[in-house]
Protein backbone atom coordinates (compact mmCIF):
# COMPACT_ATOMS: atom_id res chain seq x y z
CA UNK A 1 0.00 0.00 0.00
CA UNK A 2 1.20 3.48 -0.72
CA UNK A 3 0.18 7.09 -0.29
CA UNK A 4 -1.15 9.40 -2.96
CA UNK A 5 -0.48 13.13 -2.59
CA UNK A 6 -3.92 14.64 -3.15
CA UNK A 7 -3.54 18.20 -4.50
CA UNK A 8 -6.14 19.34 -1.98
CA UNK A 9 -5.58 17.14 1.10
CA UNK A 10 -1.88 16.25 0.95
CA UNK A 11 -0.57 12.67 1.22
CA UNK A 12 -3.36 10.22 2.02
CA UNK A 13 -3.64 6.42 2.05
CA UNK A 14 -4.19 4.96 -1.41
CA UNK A 15 -7.28 3.17 -0.04
CA UNK A 16 -9.14 6.49 -0.10
CA UNK A 17 -8.69 6.76 -3.85
CA UNK A 18 -10.23 4.97 -6.81
CA UNK A 19 -8.72 4.53 -10.22
CA UNK A 20 -10.85 5.58 -13.16
CA UNK A 21 -8.89 5.17 -16.41
CA UNK A 22 -5.86 6.45 -18.22
CA UNK A 23 -5.78 9.96 -19.66
CA UNK A 24 -5.38 8.70 -23.22
CA UNK A 25 -8.57 6.65 -22.91
CA UNK A 26 -10.88 9.61 -22.42
CA UNK A 27 -13.10 9.67 -25.50
CA UNK A 28 -13.43 13.02 -27.20
CA UNK A 29 -17.11 13.38 -28.21
CA UNK A 30 -15.93 14.84 -31.52
CA UNK A 31 -13.52 11.98 -32.21
CA UNK A 32 -13.68 10.07 -35.48
CA UNK A 33 -14.87 6.44 -35.05
CA UNK A 34 -11.39 4.92 -35.26
CA UNK A 35 -10.02 7.41 -32.71
CA UNK A 36 -12.96 6.74 -30.38
CA UNK A 37 -12.46 3.01 -30.85
CA UNK A 38 -8.79 3.36 -29.96
CA UNK A 39 -9.55 5.38 -26.82
CA UNK A 40 -12.39 3.11 -25.70
CA UNK A 41 -10.90 -0.28 -26.34
CA UNK A 42 -7.10 -0.07 -26.26
CA UNK A 43 -4.46 0.98 -23.78
CA UNK A 44 -0.74 1.68 -24.03
CA UNK A 45 -0.48 -0.32 -20.76
CA UNK A 46 3.25 0.38 -20.36
CA UNK A 47 5.47 -1.41 -17.87
CA UNK A 48 6.57 2.03 -16.72
CA UNK A 49 5.08 5.51 -16.33
CA UNK A 50 1.57 6.30 -17.48
CA UNK A 51 -0.88 9.15 -16.85
CA UNK A 52 -3.91 7.99 -14.90
CA UNK A 53 -7.11 9.63 -13.72
CA UNK A 54 -7.82 8.91 -10.07
CA UNK A 55 -10.43 10.24 -7.69
CA UNK A 56 -10.16 10.93 -3.98
CA UNK A 57 -13.51 9.15 -3.65
CA UNK A 58 -13.39 8.51 0.09
CA UNK A 59 -11.90 11.92 0.89
CA UNK A 60 -12.45 15.24 -0.81
CA UNK A 61 -13.94 13.54 -3.92
CA UNK A 62 -11.84 15.61 -6.30
CA UNK A 63 -10.46 14.22 -9.57
CA UNK A 64 -6.74 14.30 -10.34
CA UNK A 65 -4.20 13.07 -12.83
CA UNK A 66 -1.30 10.99 -11.53
CA UNK A 67 1.84 10.10 -13.40
CA UNK A 68 2.53 6.74 -11.79
CA UNK A 69 5.04 3.97 -12.40
CA UNK A 70 3.32 0.63 -12.98
CA UNK A 71 6.03 -1.48 -11.35
CA UNK A 72 7.41 0.64 -8.51
CA UNK A 73 4.16 2.62 -7.89
CA UNK A 74 6.29 5.77 -7.68
CA UNK A 75 4.18 8.86 -8.36
CA UNK A 76 6.24 11.43 -10.20
CA UNK A 77 3.55 14.05 -10.76
CA UNK A 78 0.06 14.92 -9.52
CA UNK A 79 -2.14 17.60 -10.93
CA UNK A 80 -5.61 18.65 -9.96
CA UNK A 81 -8.01 18.52 -12.81
CA UNK A 82 -11.34 20.01 -13.70
CA UNK A 83 -14.29 18.90 -15.75
CA UNK A 84 -12.14 18.71 -18.90
CA UNK A 85 -10.64 15.41 -17.72
CA UNK A 86 -13.89 13.83 -16.62
CA UNK A 87 -15.00 10.86 -18.65
CA UNK B 1 12.17 -39.75 -22.30
CA UNK B 2 11.95 -42.30 -19.51
CA UNK B 3 8.32 -43.20 -19.00
CA UNK B 4 7.15 -42.66 -15.45
CA UNK B 5 5.33 -45.60 -13.91
CA UNK B 6 4.57 -47.12 -10.52
CA UNK B 7 6.89 -50.00 -11.33
CA UNK B 8 9.69 -47.62 -12.32
CA UNK B 9 9.21 -45.72 -9.07
CA UNK B 10 9.45 -48.96 -7.10
CA UNK B 11 12.55 -50.00 -9.00
CA UNK B 12 14.07 -46.56 -8.41
CA UNK B 13 13.28 -46.77 -4.72
CA UNK B 14 15.19 -50.06 -4.47
CA UNK B 15 18.16 -48.39 -6.16
CA UNK B 16 18.15 -45.45 -3.77
CA UNK B 17 16.42 -43.12 -6.27
CA UNK B 18 19.63 -42.60 -8.22
CA UNK B 19 17.82 -43.10 -11.54
CA UNK B 20 16.23 -39.64 -11.81
CA UNK B 21 17.19 -37.64 -14.88
CA UNK B 22 16.41 -33.98 -15.64
CA UNK B 23 12.87 -33.92 -17.07
CA UNK B 24 13.85 -31.60 -19.94
CA UNK B 25 17.05 -30.39 -21.62
CA UNK B 26 18.64 -26.95 -21.26
CA UNK B 27 19.53 -26.24 -24.90
CA UNK B 28 21.36 -23.26 -26.39
CA UNK B 29 19.13 -21.25 -28.72
CA UNK B 30 19.52 -22.11 -32.41
CA UNK B 31 19.77 -19.41 -35.10
CA UNK B 32 16.30 -20.08 -36.51
CA UNK B 33 13.08 -21.85 -35.63
CA UNK B 34 9.88 -22.43 -37.59
CA UNK B 35 7.83 -21.23 -34.65
CA UNK B 36 8.85 -19.34 -31.53
CA UNK B 37 6.47 -19.19 -28.59
CA UNK B 38 7.26 -16.31 -26.23
CA UNK B 39 6.42 -17.31 -22.69
CA UNK B 40 7.13 -20.60 -20.92
CA UNK B 41 4.05 -20.81 -18.76
CA UNK B 42 1.46 -23.55 -19.01
CA UNK B 43 -0.13 -22.04 -22.12
CA UNK B 44 3.16 -21.56 -23.99
CA UNK B 45 4.42 -25.04 -23.15
CA UNK B 46 1.07 -26.61 -24.06
CA UNK B 47 1.14 -24.73 -27.36
CA UNK B 48 4.62 -26.05 -28.13
CA UNK B 49 3.59 -29.57 -27.17
CA UNK B 50 0.55 -29.61 -29.49
CA UNK B 51 2.55 -27.96 -32.29
CA UNK B 52 4.92 -30.92 -32.13
CA UNK B 53 2.39 -33.63 -31.31
CA UNK B 54 -0.60 -32.68 -33.45
CA UNK B 55 0.95 -30.64 -36.24
CA UNK B 56 4.20 -32.58 -36.54
CA UNK B 57 6.43 -29.50 -36.43
CA UNK B 58 9.93 -30.07 -35.12
CA UNK B 59 11.75 -26.73 -35.06
CA UNK B 60 9.96 -25.07 -32.18
CA UNK B 61 11.31 -22.97 -29.33
CA UNK B 62 9.71 -21.70 -26.15
CA UNK B 63 11.45 -18.59 -24.79
CA UNK B 64 11.00 -17.85 -21.09
CA UNK B 65 12.45 -14.78 -19.39
CA UNK B 66 12.59 -16.47 -15.97
CA UNK B 67 11.97 -20.13 -15.32
CA UNK B 68 9.09 -22.18 -16.70
CA UNK B 69 5.87 -22.00 -14.74
CA UNK B 70 7.27 -19.18 -12.61
CA UNK B 71 4.68 -16.61 -13.68
CA UNK B 72 0.92 -16.96 -13.47
CA UNK B 73 1.05 -20.76 -13.82
CA UNK B 74 2.47 -20.73 -10.30
CA UNK B 75 0.23 -17.90 -9.05
CA UNK B 76 -3.36 -19.05 -9.55
CA UNK B 77 -5.91 -20.92 -7.45
CA UNK B 78 -5.80 -24.07 -9.67
CA UNK B 79 -9.53 -24.18 -10.41
CA UNK B 80 -10.79 -26.02 -13.49
CA UNK B 81 -14.36 -25.55 -14.74
CA UNK B 82 -16.40 -24.65 -17.82
CA UNK B 83 -19.48 -23.08 -16.21
CA UNK B 84 -19.97 -20.07 -18.48
CA UNK B 85 -23.26 -18.86 -19.91
CA UNK B 86 -22.09 -17.62 -23.31
CA UNK B 87 -21.58 -20.34 -25.92
CA UNK B 88 -18.13 -19.29 -27.23
CA UNK B 89 -16.82 -19.38 -23.65
CA UNK B 90 -18.42 -22.60 -22.43
CA UNK B 91 -17.62 -24.42 -25.68
CA UNK B 92 -13.98 -23.41 -25.41
CA UNK B 93 -13.59 -24.24 -21.73
CA UNK B 94 -15.58 -27.48 -22.07
CA UNK B 95 -13.20 -28.61 -24.80
CA UNK B 96 -10.44 -27.89 -22.28
CA UNK B 97 -12.22 -29.66 -19.43
CA UNK B 98 -12.49 -32.82 -21.55
CA UNK B 99 -8.73 -32.59 -22.15
CA UNK B 100 -8.09 -32.20 -18.41
CA UNK B 101 -9.86 -35.51 -17.81
CA UNK B 102 -7.14 -37.36 -19.77
CA UNK B 103 -4.20 -35.00 -19.32
CA UNK B 104 -2.20 -37.11 -16.87
CA UNK B 105 -2.30 -40.08 -19.30
CA UNK B 106 -1.58 -37.86 -22.28
CA UNK B 107 1.53 -36.34 -20.68
CA UNK B 108 2.61 -39.38 -18.62
CA UNK B 109 2.72 -36.92 -15.75
CA UNK B 110 0.32 -36.76 -12.83
CA UNK B 111 -1.35 -33.35 -13.00
CA UNK B 112 -3.56 -34.40 -10.07
CA UNK B 113 -6.78 -33.33 -11.78
CA UNK B 114 -9.47 -33.77 -9.19
CA UNK B 115 -13.07 -33.29 -10.42
CA UNK B 116 -14.55 -32.60 -7.01
CA UNK B 117 -17.29 -30.26 -8.22
CA UNK B 118 -17.33 -26.52 -8.77
CA UNK B 119 -20.20 -24.87 -6.91
CA UNK B 120 -21.42 -21.31 -7.39
CA UNK B 121 -23.54 -20.08 -4.49
CA UNK B 122 -26.71 -18.04 -4.94
CA UNK B 123 -27.62 -15.54 -2.24
CA UNK B 124 -30.97 -14.24 -3.49
CA UNK B 125 -33.85 -15.09 -5.81
CA UNK B 126 -32.16 -12.99 -8.46
CA UNK B 127 -28.93 -14.97 -8.04
CA UNK B 128 -30.83 -18.25 -8.36
CA UNK B 129 -32.56 -17.10 -11.56
CA UNK B 130 -29.19 -16.10 -13.01
CA UNK B 131 -27.62 -19.40 -12.03
CA UNK B 132 -30.54 -21.36 -13.49
CA UNK B 133 -30.22 -19.46 -16.75
CA UNK B 134 -26.48 -20.12 -16.84
CA UNK B 135 -26.94 -23.80 -16.04
CA UNK B 136 -29.61 -24.12 -18.73
CA UNK B 137 -27.29 -22.51 -21.29
CA UNK B 138 -24.59 -25.01 -20.36
CA UNK B 139 -26.91 -28.05 -20.46
CA UNK B 140 -28.22 -27.02 -23.88
CA UNK B 141 -24.66 -27.51 -25.11
CA UNK B 142 -24.16 -30.80 -23.32
CA UNK B 143 -22.24 -29.50 -20.29
CA UNK B 144 -23.09 -30.79 -16.84
CA UNK B 145 -24.78 -28.36 -14.48
CA UNK B 146 -27.15 -28.93 -11.61
CA UNK B 147 -29.17 -26.51 -9.57
CA UNK B 148 -28.99 -27.30 -5.85
CA UNK B 149 -31.48 -26.43 -3.14
CA UNK B 150 -30.43 -25.05 0.23
CA UNK B 151 -30.58 -28.54 1.75
CA UNK B 152 -28.43 -30.01 -0.97
CA UNK B 153 -25.86 -27.25 -0.51
CA UNK B 154 -25.80 -27.85 3.25
CA UNK B 155 -25.21 -31.56 2.66
CA UNK B 156 -22.45 -30.95 0.10
CA UNK B 157 -20.57 -28.39 2.20
CA UNK B 158 -21.55 -28.84 5.87
CA UNK B 159 -19.35 -25.99 7.09
CA UNK B 160 -21.14 -23.26 5.12
CA UNK B 161 -23.14 -20.86 7.28
CA UNK B 162 -26.68 -21.85 6.25
CA UNK B 163 -28.43 -19.85 8.97
CA UNK B 164 -31.00 -17.26 7.98
CA UNK B 165 -29.05 -14.66 9.92
CA UNK B 166 -25.86 -15.28 7.89
CA UNK B 167 -24.17 -12.18 6.50
CA UNK B 168 -24.66 -13.66 3.01
CA UNK B 169 -27.68 -16.00 3.28
CA UNK B 170 -27.43 -19.00 0.95
CA UNK B 171 -30.49 -19.74 -1.16
CA UNK B 172 -29.00 -22.51 -3.26
CA UNK B 173 -26.25 -23.11 -5.76
CA UNK B 174 -25.37 -24.24 -9.24
CA UNK B 175 -22.77 -26.98 -9.36
CA UNK B 176 -20.72 -28.37 -12.19
CA UNK B 177 -19.80 -31.82 -10.85
CA UNK B 178 -17.00 -32.34 -13.40
CA UNK B 179 -15.20 -29.14 -12.35
CA UNK B 180 -12.47 -29.23 -9.76
CA UNK B 181 -8.81 -28.51 -9.21
CA UNK B 182 -5.43 -29.60 -10.58
CA UNK B 183 -1.81 -29.30 -9.54
CA UNK B 184 -0.56 -26.13 -11.24
CA UNK B 185 3.21 -26.81 -11.26
CA UNK B 186 2.66 -30.32 -12.58
CA UNK B 187 0.83 -28.86 -15.57
CA UNK B 188 3.84 -26.74 -16.56
CA UNK B 189 6.35 -29.50 -15.81
CA UNK B 190 4.30 -32.20 -17.53
CA UNK B 191 3.88 -30.16 -20.71
CA UNK B 192 7.56 -29.13 -20.62
CA UNK B 193 8.75 -32.71 -20.30
CA UNK B 194 6.41 -33.98 -23.01
CA UNK B 195 7.27 -31.13 -25.39
CA UNK B 196 10.98 -31.54 -24.79
CA UNK B 197 10.70 -35.24 -25.62
CA UNK B 198 9.22 -34.24 -28.99
CA UNK B 199 12.22 -32.00 -29.72
CA UNK B 200 10.93 -28.61 -28.55
CA UNK B 201 13.74 -26.35 -27.28
CA UNK B 202 12.73 -24.83 -23.95
CA UNK B 203 15.04 -21.87 -23.44
CA UNK B 204 14.86 -20.33 -19.99
CA UNK B 205 16.38 -17.04 -18.77
CA UNK B 206 15.90 -15.67 -22.27
CA UNK B 207 13.90 -12.45 -22.32
CA UNK B 208 12.57 -11.07 -25.58
CA UNK B 209 13.66 -7.45 -25.96
CA UNK B 210 12.35 -6.69 -29.43
CA UNK B 211 11.07 -8.02 -32.74
CA UNK B 212 13.08 -8.33 -35.93
CA UNK B 213 11.02 -6.95 -38.80
CA UNK B 214 11.38 -7.35 -42.53
CA UNK B 215 9.06 -5.24 -44.63
CA UNK B 216 6.66 -5.01 -41.70
CA UNK B 217 6.52 -8.75 -41.07
CA UNK B 218 8.07 -10.29 -37.97
CA UNK B 219 10.97 -12.57 -38.93
CA UNK B 220 12.54 -13.12 -35.53
CA UNK B 221 13.09 -11.84 -32.03
CA UNK B 222 15.88 -10.00 -30.24
CA UNK B 223 16.57 -11.60 -26.88
CA UNK B 224 18.96 -11.31 -23.98
CA UNK B 225 20.65 -14.38 -25.52
CA UNK B 226 20.96 -12.93 -29.01
CA UNK B 227 18.87 -12.70 -32.15
CA UNK B 228 16.75 -15.72 -33.07
CA UNK B 229 15.04 -16.02 -36.45
CA UNK B 230 11.52 -17.41 -36.76
CA UNK B 231 8.89 -18.22 -39.34
CA UNK B 232 6.07 -17.32 -36.99
CA UNK B 233 6.13 -15.86 -33.49
CA UNK B 234 3.42 -16.40 -30.89
CA UNK B 235 3.11 -14.11 -27.89
CA UNK B 236 1.91 -16.13 -24.89
CA UNK B 237 2.80 -14.01 -21.90
CA UNK B 238 -0.56 -13.15 -20.29
CA UNK B 239 0.00 -10.50 -17.65
CA UNK B 240 2.67 -8.88 -19.76
CA UNK B 241 0.95 -8.99 -23.17
CA UNK B 242 0.76 -5.20 -23.35
CA UNK B 243 4.48 -4.87 -22.71
CA UNK B 244 5.53 -7.43 -25.33
CA UNK B 245 2.99 -6.36 -27.95
CA UNK B 246 4.16 -2.75 -27.59
CA UNK B 247 7.56 -3.87 -28.92
CA UNK B 248 5.75 -4.61 -32.16
CA UNK B 249 3.93 -1.27 -32.01
CA UNK B 250 0.57 -2.74 -30.97
CA UNK B 251 -1.90 -1.27 -28.49
CA UNK B 252 -4.05 -4.03 -27.02
CA UNK B 253 -7.51 -4.09 -25.44
CA UNK B 254 -5.80 -5.11 -22.22
CA UNK B 255 -4.90 -3.49 -18.93
CA UNK B 256 -2.54 -5.31 -16.55
CA UNK B 257 -3.74 -5.65 -12.98
CA UNK B 258 -2.69 -7.54 -9.88
CA UNK B 259 -4.70 -10.54 -8.66
CA UNK B 260 -3.99 -11.98 -5.24
CA UNK B 261 -4.68 -15.27 -3.55
CA UNK B 262 -3.74 -16.92 -0.28
CA UNK B 263 -3.43 -20.29 1.38
CA UNK B 264 -3.80 -21.34 5.00
CA UNK B 265 -1.96 -23.95 7.01
CA UNK B 266 -2.87 -27.53 6.13
CA UNK B 267 -5.80 -29.10 7.94
CA UNK B 268 -7.90 -32.26 7.63
CA UNK B 269 -10.49 -32.29 4.82
CA UNK B 270 -13.11 -29.60 5.50
CA UNK B 271 -14.01 -28.15 2.10
CA UNK B 272 -15.24 -30.92 -0.19
CA UNK B 273 -15.34 -29.16 -3.53
CA UNK B 274 -14.76 -25.72 -4.96
CA UNK B 275 -17.04 -23.07 -3.44
CA UNK B 276 -17.49 -19.83 -5.35
CA UNK B 277 -19.74 -16.85 -5.10
CA UNK B 278 -20.06 -14.49 -8.02
CA UNK B 279 -22.08 -12.00 -6.01
CA UNK B 280 -19.20 -11.72 -3.57
CA UNK B 281 -16.37 -12.70 -5.88
CA UNK B 282 -14.77 -15.13 -3.51
CA UNK B 283 -13.63 -18.68 -4.16
CA UNK B 284 -12.57 -21.35 -1.71
CA UNK B 285 -11.07 -24.81 -2.19
CA UNK B 286 -8.83 -27.16 -0.26
CA UNK B 287 -5.57 -28.30 -1.76
CA UNK B 288 -4.56 -31.95 -1.60
CA UNK B 289 -1.99 -30.91 1.01
CA UNK B 290 -4.81 -29.59 3.19
CA UNK B 291 -4.34 -25.84 2.86
CA UNK B 292 -7.44 -23.77 2.18
CA UNK B 293 -6.86 -21.76 -0.99
CA UNK B 294 -8.82 -18.53 -1.35
CA UNK B 295 -8.95 -15.70 -3.80
CA UNK B 296 -10.94 -12.58 -4.45
CA UNK B 297 -11.06 -9.46 -6.56
CA UNK B 298 -8.22 -7.98 -8.58
CA UNK B 299 -6.67 -4.82 -7.19
CA UNK B 300 -8.65 -2.75 -9.73
CA UNK B 301 -5.89 -0.42 -10.83
CA UNK B 302 -3.13 -1.07 -13.34
CA UNK B 303 0.05 -2.65 -12.05
CA UNK B 304 2.85 -4.86 -13.32
CA UNK B 305 4.17 -5.40 -9.79
CA UNK B 306 3.80 -8.98 -8.62
CA UNK B 307 2.61 -7.77 -5.24
CA UNK B 308 -0.76 -6.54 -4.12
CA UNK B 309 -2.56 -4.50 -1.55
CA UNK B 310 -3.22 -6.23 1.80
CA UNK B 311 -6.73 -4.80 2.09
CA UNK B 312 -7.83 -6.79 -0.98
CA UNK B 313 -6.68 -10.02 0.69
CA UNK B 314 -8.45 -8.90 3.86
CA UNK B 315 -11.66 -8.43 1.87
CA UNK B 316 -11.41 -11.91 0.34
CA UNK B 317 -10.82 -13.43 3.78
CA UNK B 318 -13.75 -11.53 5.29
CA UNK B 319 -16.03 -12.90 2.56
CA UNK B 320 -14.73 -16.44 2.97
CA UNK B 321 -15.21 -16.34 6.75
CA UNK B 322 -18.73 -14.98 6.34
CA UNK B 323 -19.55 -17.96 4.12
CA UNK B 324 -17.67 -20.53 6.19
CA UNK B 325 -17.13 -19.28 9.76
CA UNK B 326 -14.85 -22.20 10.72
CA UNK B 327 -12.16 -20.75 8.47
CA UNK B 328 -11.59 -18.00 11.03
CA UNK B 329 -9.66 -20.49 13.18
CA UNK B 330 -7.00 -21.07 10.51
CA UNK B 331 -3.68 -19.28 10.19
CA UNK B 332 -2.65 -17.86 6.86
CA UNK B 333 0.46 -19.49 5.44
CA UNK B 334 1.21 -17.15 2.56
CA UNK B 335 -0.26 -14.83 -0.02
CA UNK B 336 0.90 -14.25 -3.56
CA UNK B 337 -0.08 -12.16 -6.51
CA UNK B 338 0.16 -12.39 -10.24
CA UNK B 339 -0.14 -9.85 -13.02
CA UNK B 340 -3.28 -10.52 -15.06
CA UNK B 341 -4.23 -9.29 -18.50
CA UNK B 342 -7.62 -7.72 -17.89
CA UNK B 343 -9.26 -7.65 -21.31
CA UNK B 344 -12.04 -5.24 -22.21
CA UNK B 345 -14.83 -7.81 -22.36
CA UNK B 346 -13.48 -10.27 -19.80
CA UNK B 347 -12.71 -12.89 -22.46
CA UNK B 348 -9.34 -14.05 -23.79
CA UNK B 349 -7.74 -13.07 -27.07
CA UNK B 350 -6.26 -15.84 -29.24
CA UNK B 351 -5.44 -15.24 -32.86
CA UNK B 352 -3.74 -13.14 -35.46
CA UNK B 353 -2.48 -9.58 -34.96
CA UNK B 354 -2.27 -6.83 -37.59
CA UNK B 355 1.48 -7.61 -37.82
CA UNK B 356 2.27 -10.40 -40.28
CA UNK B 357 3.69 -13.59 -38.69
CA UNK B 358 2.90 -12.32 -35.20
CA UNK B 359 0.16 -14.00 -33.15
CA UNK B 360 -1.30 -13.25 -29.76
CA UNK B 361 -2.58 -15.38 -26.89
CA UNK B 362 -3.51 -13.28 -23.86
CA UNK B 363 -6.24 -11.36 -22.10
CA UNK B 364 -7.04 -14.25 -19.76
CA UNK B 365 -8.23 -11.97 -16.94
CA UNK B 366 -8.34 -14.15 -13.82
CA UNK B 367 -9.34 -17.37 -15.61
CA UNK B 368 -6.35 -18.63 -17.54
CA UNK B 369 -5.26 -21.73 -15.64
CA UNK B 370 -8.26 -23.91 -16.47
CA UNK B 371 -7.85 -23.02 -20.14
CA UNK B 372 -4.28 -24.33 -20.40
CA UNK B 373 -4.93 -27.44 -22.55
CA UNK B 374 -7.58 -25.79 -24.77
CA UNK B 375 -5.50 -22.65 -25.13
CA UNK B 376 -2.47 -24.70 -26.16
CA UNK B 377 -4.50 -26.81 -28.59
CA UNK B 378 -6.20 -23.90 -30.36
CA UNK B 379 -3.15 -21.62 -30.33
CA UNK B 380 -1.03 -24.42 -31.80
CA UNK B 381 -3.62 -24.78 -34.56
CA UNK B 382 -3.56 -21.02 -35.17
CA UNK B 383 0.24 -20.87 -35.26
CA UNK B 384 0.65 -23.96 -37.42
CA UNK B 385 -2.00 -23.10 -40.02
CA UNK B 386 -2.03 -19.30 -39.77
CA UNK B 387 -5.80 -19.38 -39.25
CA UNK B 388 -7.86 -19.78 -36.08
CA UNK B 389 -9.38 -23.05 -34.89
CA UNK B 390 -13.23 -22.85 -34.82
CA UNK B 391 -13.07 -22.73 -31.02
CA UNK B 392 -10.84 -19.66 -30.84
CA UNK B 393 -12.21 -17.83 -33.91
CA UNK B 394 -14.69 -15.84 -31.72
CA UNK B 395 -11.75 -14.66 -29.58
CA UNK B 396 -10.04 -12.71 -32.37
CA UNK B 397 -8.26 -9.48 -31.51
CA UNK B 398 -10.39 -7.45 -33.92
CA UNK B 399 -13.69 -8.42 -32.25
CA UNK B 400 -13.76 -5.10 -30.37
CA UNK B 401 -13.80 -2.95 -33.50
CA UNK B 402 -16.35 -5.33 -35.07
CA UNK B 403 -18.62 -4.93 -32.06
CA UNK B 404 -18.50 -8.69 -31.46
CA UNK B 405 -17.33 -8.64 -27.85
CA UNK B 406 -17.93 -11.66 -25.61
CA UNK B 407 -18.91 -9.94 -22.41
CA UNK B 408 -20.15 -12.59 -19.93
CA UNK B 409 -20.87 -10.18 -17.06
CA UNK B 410 -22.07 -7.45 -19.47
CA UNK B 411 -20.25 -4.52 -17.91
CA UNK B 412 -18.70 -2.86 -20.95
CA UNK B 413 -15.14 -1.87 -21.80
CA UNK B 414 -13.88 -1.04 -18.31
CA UNK B 415 -11.40 -3.63 -17.10
CA UNK B 416 -11.26 -2.10 -13.64
CA UNK B 417 -15.00 -2.57 -13.13
CA UNK B 418 -15.05 -6.35 -13.59
Amino acid sequence: MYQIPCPHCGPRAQLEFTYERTVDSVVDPAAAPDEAMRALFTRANPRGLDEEIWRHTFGCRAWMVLTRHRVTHEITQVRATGPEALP
Amino acid sequence: MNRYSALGLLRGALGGHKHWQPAWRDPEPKAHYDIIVIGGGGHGLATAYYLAKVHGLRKIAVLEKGWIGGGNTGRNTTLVRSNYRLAPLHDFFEFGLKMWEHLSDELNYNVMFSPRGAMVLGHSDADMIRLAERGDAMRCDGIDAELLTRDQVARAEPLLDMSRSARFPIEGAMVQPRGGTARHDAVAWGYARAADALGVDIIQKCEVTGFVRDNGAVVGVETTRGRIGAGRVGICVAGHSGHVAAMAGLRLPIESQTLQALVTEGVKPMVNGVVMSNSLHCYISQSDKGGIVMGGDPDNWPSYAQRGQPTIVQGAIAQAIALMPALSRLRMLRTWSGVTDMSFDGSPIIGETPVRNLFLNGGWCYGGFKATPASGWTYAHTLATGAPHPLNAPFALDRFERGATIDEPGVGPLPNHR
Side-chain angles (χ1 to χ4, degrees):
Chain A
M1 201 155 35
Y2 52 90
Q3 290 189 324
I4 293 178
C6 172
H8 309 285
C9 315
R12 307 287 294 180
Q14 185 236 318
L15 266 181
E16 297 181 8
F17 296 78
T18 46
Y19 164 74
E20 174 57 31
R21 61 181 76 185
T22 53
V23 170
D24 64 356
S25 62
V26 177
V27 185
D28 180 352
D34 56 332
E35 279 172 57
M37 158 67 214
R38 192 177 144 87
L40 256 183
F41 286 106
T42 70
R43 297 286 189 274
N45 197 21
R47 198 153 82 188
L49 291 168
D50 203 355
E51 282 202 305
E52 301 168 346
I53 302 167
W54 286 68
R55 190 183 191 195
H56 196 182
T57 314
F58 308 105
C60 70
R61 306 183 71 193
W63 295 87
M64 66 204 69
V65 172
L66 306 184
T67 308
R68 189 178 65 90
H69 197 284
R70 296 274 173 86
V71 181
T72 63
H73 303 327
E74 184 195 2
I75 297 165
T76 57
Q77 206 193 0
V78 185
R79 61 185 162 86
T81 185
E84 71 276 6
L86 294 181
Chain B
M1 181 175 85
N2 284 332
R3 267 193 81 76
Y4 293 159
S5 65
L7 192 65
L9 196 63
L10 188 67
R11 205 180 292 130
L14 295 174
H17 279 298
K18 294 195 181 103
H19 68 300
W20 292 103
Q21 300 290 322
W24 51 87
R25 298 164 296 130
D26 183 21
E28 283 300 313
K30 297 193 184 90
H32 188 274
Y33 291 93
D34 292 341
I35 293 177
I36 286 180
V37 178
I38 306 173
H43 289 226
L45 294 164
T47 304
Y49 172 70
Y50 293 117
L51 277 168
K53 174 86 190 291
V54 179
H55 302 279
L57 297 169
R58 285 295 169 267
K59 292 180 69 184
I60 305 162
V62 177
L63 308 183
E64 167 56 46
K65 74 171 171 179
W67 63 94
I68 60 164
N72 289 342
T73 305
R75 294 166 189 271
N76 52 71
T77 48
T78 78
L79 307 184
V80 177
R81 57 190 173 85
S82 63
N83 57 357
Y84 289 84
R85 184 174 67 85
L86 297 179
L89 286 167
H90 64 221
D91 287 347
F92 182 89
F93 286 107
E94 176 63 13
F95 182 81
L97 184 53
K98 286 184 177 142
M99 293 173 80
W100 276 107
E101 288 164 351
H102 306 284
L103 197 57
S104 294
D105 283 342
E106 168 77 21
L107 300 178
N108 180 229
Y109 205 99
N110 187 3
V111 300
M112 296 168 72
F113 175 59
S114 162
R116 55 185 74 175
M119 182 193 284
V120 186
L121 298 174
H123 302 287
S124 61
D125 286 351
D127 267 8
M128 292 311 295
I129 290 167
R130 252 202 331 254
L131 289 174
E133 186 203 10
R134 187 163 146 194
D136 284 350
M138 290 162 63
R139 291 176 70 113
C140 283
D141 282 340
I143 303 169
D144 60 324
E146 287 165 31
L147 215 54
L148 302 186
T149 62
R150 258 173 66 83
D151 291 346
Q152 287 171 312
V153 174
R155 270 199 300 278
E157 296 290 351
L159 290 178
L160 284 172
D161 184 355
M162 299 301 294
S163 65
R164 285 296 182 189
S165 58
R167 174 70 184 82
F168 303 109
I170 295 167
E171 297 297 334
M174 193 263 284
V175 67
Q176 179 178 29
R178 286 162 57 246
T181 62
R183 167 95 170 97
H184 51 100
D185 289 330
V187 177
W189 298 337
Y191 271 119
R193 175 168 165 272
D196 179 85
L198 293 173
V200 172
D201 280 359
I202 298 166
I203 302 161
Q204 303 184 68
K205 294 181 192 153
C206 178
E207 182 170 0
V208 170
T209 55
F211 290 99
V212 186
R213 308 282 284 267
D214 179 22
N215 218 352
V218 165
V219 292
V221 290
E222 300 284 357
T223 75
T224 48
R225 293 175 69 170
R227 175 179 290 202
I228 309 174
R232 284 183 179 141
V233 177
I235 300 174
C236 199
V237 296
H240 297 262
S241 299
H243 174 73
V244 175
M247 295 177 195
L250 295 175
R251 266 173 75 101
L252 299 181
I254 283 173
E255 197 162 79
S256 295
Q257 294 183 3
T258 300
L259 181 68
Q260 302 184 75
L262 65 128
V263 65
T264 69
E265 60 190 324
V267 288
K268 286 183 180 177
M270 63 181 281
V271 183
N272 297 324
V274 178
V275 179
M276 292 171 282
S277 168
N278 288 155
S279 296
L280 304 180
H281 207 190
C282 166
Y283 28 99
I284 310 166
S285 65
Q286 187 163 20
S287 79
D288 289 337
K289 241 178 352 184
I292 308 293
V293 184
M294 290 175 256
D297 281 317
D299 277 15
N300 279 339
W301 37 274
S303 169
Y304 277 102
Q306 285 175 321
R307 61 185 186 279
Q309 185 171 253
T311 47
I312 300 284
V313 169
Q314 217 173 9
I317 295 171
Q319 292 183 354
I321 290 175
L323 292 175
M324 209 174 266
L327 294 176
S328 68
R329 310 308 298 163
L330 298 180
R331 283 168 295 190
M332 187 167 80
L333 201 60
R334 62 179 182 274
T335 69
W336 61 91
S337 54
V339 183
T340 55
D341 273 4
M342 296 303 291
S343 71
F344 281 29
D345 59 358
S347 297
I349 298 162
I350 316 173
E352 302 153 87
T353 71
V355 178
R356 201 144 50 87
N357 298 343
L358 185 66
F359 296 78
L360 174 71
N361 178 335
W364 288 100
C365 299
Y366 29 75
F369 175 72
K370 61 180 168 290
T372 306
S375 167
W377 182 279
T378 55
Y379 198 34
H381 180 98
T382 308
L383 280 167
T385 64
H389 186 279
L391 282 169
N392 69 307
F395 300 107
L397 177 60
D398 67 358
R399 68 176 183 266
F400 298 92
E401 59 205 66
R402 287 188 285 113
T405 55
I406 304 165
D407 193 346
E408 173 106 354
V411 296
L414 287 168
N416 52 316
H417 292 196
R418 287 199 174 277

